[in-house]
Amino acid sequence: MRLATFVHQGQRRVGIVSSDGQTVTPLALDATAAQRGVLPLIEAAAQGQPLPAAAGAALPLADVTLEAPLPLPRRNLWCVGRNYHEHAKELQGSVFKNNNSNPAVWPIVFTKVPECVVADRADVLLPGDEVSPQIDYEAELAVVIGTGGKNIAKADAMKHIYGYTIVNDVTARDVQMRHQQWDMGKSFDTFCPMGPWIVTADELDGQHTRVRCWVNDQPRQDGRTEDLIFDIPTLIETISRGITLYPGDVIATGTPAGVGLGMTPPTFLKSGDVVRIEIDGIGTLQNRFV
């Protein structure tokens, strides 16, 4: 299934997107629960409860406004840096220069605050050169946890996944490097486009898909999740060591080579740029930077 959060006639709702991506069928979720997007459905599934029933006829997707499937995640998003070999190489002299030179020792893990999440087609706000002139994109597959747990074994990790979505891990590069830890440079308002929906794990194998990104229709990134340095089970095992993961937690799995900082010369985003990310089996996430 593809589960979307959307607004129709001024009301936030949650529904199932058709396989052709043309319609969305609202589910019977009360207005208070719908404010949390798909999260109540994930929590219910973790308790063994079924999806709510349909609530009315399918709506043309063109007649609704998509929101992020998790408009306000329950807590910070978990994110992984340096998780494709070619990306590790392109930033080895900048972002990664003070990290362990062997990228395969341990994952680099940081977080983004939940308030920076915005929807497909929403504007991403450039902070202005006085705050940061070095705004960059990072196309990423994101894992959405279904069944929580702590100290999850790698062999069991895939059973804990509810589904997958797309995120753009937008980054202020100078701020990221200035503070030596990354949360501040990753958490500016609107710096986490997410969407367009969540595809459930029974429909997509996130270990075998393709991640691509364009800026103003120019190809920039193209990678396959088979090439992750740390695969999805390893990431879940690592992040859950001593830390309880909860239904609805999001893990962004890292970005392929081709970011703006890695270009010669470095090429950062400017007002009017449009970043489009496509992941096979999920769809497209597109945002304008203003």
Side-chain angles (χ1 to χ4, degrees), residues 91 94-95 125-138 169-178 184-186 188 191 259-262 265-271 273 289:
L91 299 188
S94 54
V95 172
L125 305 179
L126 295 170
D129 288 354
E130 68 280 1
V131 176
S132 173
Q134 298 184 5
I135 307 306
D136 210 348
Y137 54 88
E138 292 191 0
D169 178 18
V170 183
T171 306
R173 292 297 186 192
D174 48 350
V175 178
Q176 176 189 20
M177 290 183 284
R178 175 191 307 154
M184 291 187 66
K186 299 280 192 172
F188 287 14
F191 269 28
V259 298
L261 181 59
T267 304
F268 299 110
L269 296 169
K270 60 185 185 301
S271 183
D273 284 347
F289 285 68

Side-chain angles (χ1 to χ4, degrees), residues 62-191:
D63 291 348
V64 309
T65 300
L66 286 176
E67 297 199 319
L70 299 170
L72 186 66
R74 63 183 299 160
R75 61 178 180 177
N76 284 27
L77 293 80
W78 301 100
C79 304
V80 181
R82 199 174 63 166
N83 205 25
Y84 288 80
H85 285 287
E86 292 305 312
H87 179 58
K89 292 176 183 176
E90 72 177 347
L91 299 188
Q92 63 185 351
S94 54
V95 172
F96 305 136
K97 66 181 179 181
N98 293 323
N99 298 114
N100 191 311
S101 60
N102 180 0
V105 176
W106 286 100
I108 297 171
V109 181
F110 59 94
T111 67
K112 293 173 81 81
V113 298
E115 291 81 6
C116 68
V117 169
V118 294
D120 175 45
R121 308 289 168 163
D123 288 342
V124 177
L125 305 179
L126 295 170
D129 288 354
E130 68 280 1
V131 176
S132 173
Q134 298 184 5
I135 307 306
D136 210 348
Y137 54 88
E138 292 191 0
E140 305 201 14
L141 173 72
V143 173
V144 181
I145 295 296
T147 304
K150 183 168 71 172
N151 299 327
I152 298 168
K154 182 176 178 179
D156 298 326
M158 298 300 289
K159 295 183 290 187
H160 289 258
I161 297 174
Y162 184 82
Y164 302 90
T165 190
I166 306 171
V167 299
N168 186 348
D169 178 18
V170 183
T171 306
R173 292 297 186 192
D174 48 350
V175 178
Q176 176 189 20
M177 290 183 284
R178 175 191 307 154
H179 292 282
Q180 299 183 58
Q181 56 77 38
W182 299 354
D183 291 35
M184 291 187 66
K186 299 280 192 172
S187 293
F188 287 14
D189 294 348
T190 72
F191 269 28

Side-chain angles (χ1 to χ4, degrees), residues 241-257:
R241 288 181 183 224
I243 298 173
T244 300
L245 295 179
Y246 293 98
D249 275 348
V250 177
I251 301 173
T253 59
T255 198

